[in-house]
Amino acid sequence: AREPELAEAPLARRLAAAAALRPPYLAVVGPAERDAASVALRPRGSTACTTTPVDALRARLAAEVAARAWSSPTHENHQRRIVPSGSP
């Protein structure tokens, strides 16, 4: 028998395959979430989902990205290379 494509697989199998990639979050949007403009969100390593409004999730992720950008070694390296204008 042919192995079903992942898109055709049951939700539990698709979630397990996605979790194996170790993303920071798994987001599930079904009909109920779509109707409520929300996302069922599961943080890495957790089996519990919390439903979060899309706007709140957008703000949360933007804050996380901004916090990581300012604390990353790459950012610190760029900061050290900044030379005031007029300097050799």
Side-chain angles (χ1 to χ4, degrees), residues 6 10 13 16 18 20 25 27 38 44 50-51 56 77 87:
L6 191 56
R13 181 158 176 248
Y25 299 99
S38 63
R44 180 186 307 149
T50 57
T51 301
N77 289 337
S87 298

Side-chain angles (χ1 to χ4, degrees), residues 16-76:
L21 299 174
R22 300 200 31 82
Y25 299 99
L26 290 179
V28 178
V29 179
E33 291 82 13
R34 180 198 60 218
D35 294 344
S38 63
V39 176
L41 196 64
R42 186 169 91 177
R44 180 186 307 149
S46 176
T47 57
C49 285
T50 57
T51 301
T52 306
V54 171
D55 291 337
L57 178 60
R58 185 179 297 126
R60 175 180 168 181
L61 294 177
E64 286 183 21
V65 167
R68 287 177 188 240
W70 286 107
S71 65
S72 74
T74 302
H75 181 265
E76 291 169 9

Side-chain angles (χ1 to χ4, degrees), residues 70 75-85 87-88:
W70 286 107
H75 181 265
E76 291 169 9
N77 289 337
H78 287 296
Q79 288 290 70
R80 284 189 222 126
R81 292 185 189 144
I82 294 175
V83 178
S85 61
S87 298

